[in-house]
Amino acid sequence: MNSEKEYSLFLGSGIRVNELSNLRLRDLDFEEKQIHVLRKGGKKDVVAVSPPSMQDIKDYLAVRTERYRGSNDDTDYVFLTRVNDGAPPPLSNRAIEALVKKYTKAFKINKSMSPHKLRHTYGTNLMEQSGAFIY
């Protein structure tokens, strides 16, 4: 998994780990720089994503088919697990949490973060920059 891309999406949108793991190709809107997510309680929502994060997703999608054998079907999950045979399953919440912990620890001298902490970082940055907040 190219963990930088999921890390970027957390920091560029503030989505929850479950929203990222359930993200499908049809949920990506590059023109409007937004994604469609299913929130807690089954509520559908549209989330703005920072332009650099959308570019990171485009870069990931350019190698996704070859690296992870993912299809380009609209119903296919965005982030996949690499497998030897069969259709690649989506990354689980636990796998995403482990990857974020691993890669943030490598970047921040022995200090790891969780997807939830990245969500809080996004919210804090948004509030500082615009006075708005997420829930």
Side-chain angles (χ1 to χ4, degrees), residues 11-121:
L11 287 174
S13 68
I15 62 174
R16 295 175 175 90
V17 66
N18 192 53
E19 294 164 353
L20 186 135
S21 66
N22 287 313
L23 200 62
R24 295 179 187 256
L25 294 176
R26 67 177 175 229
D27 299 325
L28 304 173
D29 184 344
F30 290 102
E31 194 169 303
E32 298 295 324
K33 294 178 181 55
Q34 60 190 19
I35 56 175
H36 299 262
V37 297
L38 192 60
R39 297 282 192 190
K40 285 183 175 179
K43 179 187 172 208
K44 293 181 181 182
D45 201 2
V46 178
V47 177
V49 179
S50 71
S53 294
M54 287 305 286
Q55 184 59 51
D56 285 342
I57 299 305
K58 275 187 183 180
D59 295 345
Y60 165 73
L61 292 176
V63 299
R64 179 180 163 278
T65 302
E66 184 179 332
R67 280 193 194 159
Y68 303 98
R69 297 192 340 224
S71 76
N72 289 323
D73 186 285
D74 276 356
T75 61
D76 205 11
Y77 290 94
V78 174
F79 296 105
L80 305 171
T81 302
R82 201 180 302 193
V83 293
N84 291 330
D85 57 318
L91 274 177
S92 68
N93 292 354
R94 186 170 293 183
I96 292 168
E97 289 165 352
L99 286 167
V100 168
K101 183 176 183 175
K102 175 183 174 181
Y103 288 102
T104 57
K105 189 173 185 177
F107 288 115
K108 296 184 68 87
I109 306 169
N110 291 328
K111 184 178 179 185
S112 63
M113 294 187 79
S114 68
H116 193 71
K117 286 180 184 177
L118 294 176
R119 177 175 165 76
H120 279 270
T121 300

